[in-house]
Amino acid sequence: MIEIKNITYRYDAETDSEGPSPSAPAVDGLSLTINDGETVCIVGHNGSGKSTVAKHINGLLLPTEGDVIVDGMNTRDESSLLEIRKRVGMVFQNPDNQIVTTVVEEDVGFGPENLGVPSEAIWERVDEALELVGMTEYRKSAPHMLSGGQKQRIAIAGMLAMHPKMLVLDEATAMLDPAGRKEVLSIVRRLNKERGMTVIMITQYMEEASECDRMAVMSGGKLFMQGTPSEVFARGDELRSIGLDVPAAVRVCERLRAGGLDIPRLPVTVEEAAETICRLL
């Protein structure tokens, strides 16, 4: 379980050019609980604080005020940071920033090696992780020769080889084309369903959020609303008021409802929308 307890975080404007001024916290009094096995999507416009929250979950950033508790361990406790980072794997927007070797299998084994895992066990983990992301045939390849989606799958494999309990994807699909995005999301869904892995996704793509168990919407460093995708997207006007929107499937059904079609509950995915419309027609 991850417990984010009333955290506030201010960037130092002199050391982080992307952060707001010291008088404006990037995260302001945010509380959020993420249960084991959940998929939670944190959404918000640029500058809303969502990526700052992601970096707090495994102690890359420490809150100016408040606490982040991961499985009972406080990220402020320096003696717990290594264990926290073993449990929480991070995948970032640009996979090139996480690839550190010139051969795929060596890159996937880099994390476990740094953790002191015995050599034989490392290769077992590499085999397992590459199979999970469907990249076994590329194990001897040079990462720089792979597509963006394939590189991101290697970055995920590198995290999986460390046997994390939770996976945080900080806009991990932002630089990918639709096919690459679909590949990565399919892997993440499978890890959650088959392995019970807790997944926290940071994204601006509402279609991605529609398939999560729960959404947390941020604006101005604060938690604006949270709920299931159905509950959140039913408040489309409020989302638009902070510069966000609803998925295309929801927009279509909103218009049909405005035109007089009886749609008591707005569907959130294309499949649900098609089923709802066909049933009504």
Side-chain angles (χ1 to χ4, degrees):
M1 176 184 286
I2 299 167
E3 299 172 272
I4 300 171
K5 298 183 175 183
N6 197 32
I7 67 167
T8 294
Y9 184 81
R10 291 179 173 85
Y11 283 97
D12 182 341
E14 293 183 0
T15 60
D16 195 317
S17 60
E18 294 182 1
S21 67
S23 60
V27 177
D28 189 4
L30 183 138
S31 294
L32 181 67
T33 298
I34 299 169
N35 297 309
D36 290 343
E38 261 195 313
T39 57
V40 175
C41 210
I42 302 177
V43 302
H45 53 73
N46 287 335
S48 62
K50 59 187 187 297
S51 287
T52 301
V53 171
K55 292 180 176 69
H56 276 77
I57 294 175
N58 78 338
L60 288 177
L61 295 176
L62 300 178
T64 307
E65 301 170 22
D67 295 285
V68 178
I69 311 296
V70 178
D71 281 352
M73 296 175 287
N74 195 318
T75 60
R76 291 184 181 278
D77 180 2
E78 192 172 343
S79 65
S80 297
L81 275 179
L82 179 59
E83 183 59 34
I84 288 171
R85 289 170 181 164
K86 286 181 182 178
R87 298 192 189 196
V88 183
M90 293 276 301
V91 180
F92 297 99
Q93 183 179 111
N94 188 347
D96 288 327
N97 293 341
Q98 289 186 260
I99 293 174
V100 295
T101 72
T102 57
V103 180
V104 164
E105 65 179 10
E106 292 177 4
D107 193 82
V108 176
F110 182 80
E113 184 179 18
N114 281 343
L115 293 177
V117 176
S119 181
E120 183 177 336
I122 289 175
W123 292 114
E124 290 176 358
R125 292 190 184 197
V126 169
D127 292 343
E128 177 189 40
L130 287 172
E131 184 176 351
L132 280 170
V133 301
M135 291 293 289
T136 300
E137 64 183 289
Y138 297 95
R139 64 182 306 139
K140 299 294 185 181
S141 300
H144 71 273
M145 299 297 292
L146 303 177
S147 69
Q150 290 171 328
K151 288 180 182 178
Q152 199 62 286
R153 287 156 72 180
I154 294 303
I156 292 173
M159 290 297 105
L160 295 179
M162 298 171 71
H163 285 184
K165 180 181 177 183
M166 310 159 194
L167 190 63
V168 180
L169 296 101
D170 186 5
E171 303 205 55
T173 64
M175 298 180 67
L176 305 181
D177 59 23
R181 193 176 304 137
K182 185 176 180 180
E183 288 175 2
V184 170
L185 293 176
S186 174
I187 291 165
V188 170
R189 281 193 292 271
R190 186 154 49 87
L191 290 170
N192 172 254
K193 299 300 181 187
E194 296 179 6
R195 299 205 155 205
M197 187 174 288
T198 305
V199 176
I200 301 100
M201 293 182 60
I202 314 298
T203 186
Q204 295 187 57
Y205 295 107
M206 292 304 183
E207 283 76 12
E208 293 182 6
S210 68
E211 299 193 31
C212 289
D213 296 326
R214 188 157 51 96
M215 293 175 61
V217 182
M218 292 189 65
S219 179
K222 296 179 179 291
L223 184 64
F224 183 74
M225 68 170 81
Q226 66 172 309
T228 66
S230 293
E231 291 168 343
V232 170
F233 293 140
R235 300 165 66 180
D237 289 342
E238 292 176 68
L239 290 174
R240 294 181 184 102
S241 74
I242 59 170
L244 300 177
D245 205 347
V246 296
V250 178
R251 289 200 301 274
V252 168
C253 290
E254 281 179 334
R255 293 186 179 184
L256 291 173
R257 178 190 275 178
L261 201 60
D262 182 19
I263 303 179
R265 174 185 172 276
L266 286 173
V268 297
T269 67
V270 171
E271 292 76 15
E272 288 177 356
E275 183 181 341
T276 298
I277 293 169
C278 288
R279 186 170 61 248
L280 290 172
L281 294 178

